[in-house]
Amino acid sequence: ETSLTINRRDYNVVYDNEFWDAVVSDKIIIDISFGARDYNARNSIFPWRSNSVGTYIKNGVEQQGLEATTKKVRDLMENHPDSLRYGVSHFYRAGLALAQGGQIEEGIAILELAIEAHKETAEQSDIADLYATIAEIHLQNSTNMTLVRSAIDAALNKDPRNTSALELHRRVE
């Protein structure tokens, strides 16, 4: 965060009328604030690397493909719930890493799998973040605005104050 002060007279902004010259302030303060996310998920280290579903997914998609990996993950979650860490963040990082690596459809599929796996247990704000990320991936890699808007709507339905979804909504409208 920072601010910048400029003086209108430095830019020859003067008025011929004494009234307006007296009424309009000589200086203006511009406040600047930047927000950013770390989208370098491809190089991200998965928490608890050896037993993270994120590591399993990332390696599985590369070695066996998306369909076989998602089938195995569903089976593990149902029949061996203690075998891996299945937190939302693990799915999120894996999906984002795949999308950043050019595997857009795979990344989105993993984020959708996270929504499916956590729809009953996760905070609504976490589910909204997943939908907003799907919308952002679609927006960056597709011209299909129907998919973008659908994901934004789903995010705002889960959390009407989700800042990522609100910003994406503003950008596409």
Side-chain angles (χ1 to χ4, degrees), residues 35-96:
R37 287 193 209 178
D38 176 17
Y39 279 112
N40 192 7
R42 284 183 300 171
N43 297 324
S44 179
I45 297 172
F46 289 97
W48 312 284
R49 206 181 295 181
S50 64
N51 63 348
S52 167
V53 73
T55 302
Y56 185 88
I57 288 169
K58 192 168 180 234
N59 294 336
V61 168
E62 290 171 5
Q63 296 167 5
Q64 304 162 357
L66 177 65
E67 190 175 327
T69 301
T70 54
K71 182 178 178 183
K72 182 66 174 171
V73 168
R74 283 186 178 99
D75 177 63
L76 287 170
M77 288 189 308
E78 186 175 327
N79 299 314
H80 307 282
D82 297 328
S83 63
L84 295 171
R85 294 184 183 265
Y86 298 103
V88 172
S89 66
H90 296 265
F91 284 93
Y92 174 82
R93 287 184 182 187
L96 203 53

Side-chain angles (χ1 to χ4, degrees), residues 77-146:
M77 288 189 308
E78 186 175 327
N79 299 314
H80 307 282
D82 297 328
S83 63
L84 295 171
R85 294 184 183 265
Y86 298 103
V88 172
S89 66
H90 296 265
F91 284 93
Y92 174 82
R93 287 184 182 187
L96 203 53
L98 289 166
Q100 287 179 348
Q103 295 175 288
I104 306 305
E105 291 177 19
E106 292 85 348
I108 290 171
I110 296 306
L111 295 171
E112 289 171 343
L113 178 61
I115 293 167
E116 174 190 322
H118 293 285
K119 64 184 169 198
E120 303 297 326
T121 59
E123 296 288 329
Q124 294 300 298
S125 60
D126 289 338
I127 300 298
D129 285 339
L130 291 167
Y131 278 120
T133 302
I134 290 170
E136 193 159 1
I137 292 169
H138 279 306
L139 185 61
Q140 291 173 353
N141 298 286
S142 169
T143 57
N144 188 337
M145 295 308 288
T146 302

